[in-house]
Every structure is written in C-alpha cells, then in structure tokens.
Amino acid sequence: MTNVTRRVPFVVALACFLSAGASLAATGLWTPTGVHGVVVYLLDGKWEEVTPGQDLAQAKLRTLRSGRLSLTGPSVTLEVGPNSALQLTMKADGSGGTVEQYLGSLNVAAQKANAGLIVRAGKLTLSGITGEVLVQVAGNSTSITVASGTAAV
C-alpha cells in the first residue's frame, strides 16, 4: 500500500510535466479553431480533412465550395474563405510564419505589431502586418484591403 501511495504523486507530477511540455511545443504551430464545410490538407500525397485543434507546423490547405477555416498562430488569426488554396509554414522558433496564397480569400488579423507573418499572394508580398488585412486572389488578379492597421507591400 505504501508503494502505491508514493507512486500516485509521481504519476500526477509526470502527467502535469508532459502536458505542460506539449502545450509549450504547440505555441509555435498553426491551429485550426473553426472548420466549416470541406477543408483538406495534403499529407503524404493524400488529401485529408482538417480537424479543429489539430496542430500544423506546415501544410498545403484547400477549402472547397462550402469550406471555411479559422486558424490561430503566434499573435495572428487567419480566416480562409471558400474555394481557397494556400500553403502555411512556421519558423522553427515559432516567432512567425509564411502564407503562400494561390487562390481565394484570406483575412489576416495580427494582434500585435510585427507578428512575424509574411503573406505572398500572386506577385505581391505583404509583411509587417498590423491590424486586419483582407487578401483575395483570383486568376492573375490580387486584391488587398487594409481594414485597419498597416501592411508593407
């Protein structure tokens, strides 16, 4: 009985340590917070459905006609509209990332100045995004609307 009593606090402490480590590691990732309709990502050459809470360090994503996706990253929120195609990468240290947008609409909300995000859409590259920016890509056309804050093009 004494052995069991000593092990329980150790097991609880170990579980707390491991869960804290996992949440610290997850801070440098893109995390889907809302998935509506069909949203898929490329995994080993096959398209798989995205699930809320799934951590993505990098991913090729596609929303279909009814698809919408909300993602959070370090100090940034992304809202991806229907019929969109993009690729996400995150810096190894989690300090920022890059979004390559090929098609569709992307709303970027940076919660702090210089969140470290770069958005490449068509022939344009946006950096230093603060506030809220809407980027739309259709064919050879790219449209950028700065709803609030600033962005360097």
Side-chain angles (χ1 to χ4, degrees):
M1 186 76 162
T2 309
N3 256 349
V4 172
T5 318
R6 288 183 190 160
R7 287 184 186 160
V8 171
F10 174 76
V11 170
V12 170
L14 180 62
C16 290
F17 173 76
L18 291 175
S19 66
S23 64
L24 286 174
T27 59
L29 300 172
W30 296 105
T31 304
T33 55
V35 178
H36 305 283
V38 179
V39 180
V40 293
Y41 73 105
L42 195 59
L43 177 66
D44 297 327
K46 291 178 16 181
W47 290 101
E48 301 285 336
E49 287 198 41
V50 173
T51 58
Q54 172 182 13
D55 290 326
L56 304 167
Q58 59 182 0
K60 290 183 180 181
L61 294 162
R62 175 101 186 157
T63 58
L64 300 186
R65 185 174 31 177
S66 65
R68 294 187 181 278
L69 174 64
S70 300
L71 292 152
T72 57
S75 301
V76 177
T77 302
L78 305 177
E79 299 287 335
V80 184
N83 295 320
S84 296
L86 57 127
Q87 181 171 342
L88 303 172
T89 56
M90 184 63 68
K91 290 182 182 176
D93 65 0
S95 65
T98 302
V99 177
E100 299 272 351
Q101 183 183 2
Y102 307 111
L103 181 67
S105 64
L106 173 68
N107 191 37
V108 179
Q111 287 85 19
K112 70 174 189 174
N114 197 12
L117 180 70
I118 295 172
V119 177
R120 292 190 180 102
K123 295 179 180 179
L124 301 176
T125 299
L126 299 169
S127 62
I129 299 170
T130 60
E132 191 170 334
V133 177
L134 174 64
V135 183
Q136 295 178 304
V137 178
N140 292 328
S141 173
T142 301
S143 167
I144 299 168
T145 306
V146 179
S148 67
T150 60
V153 180

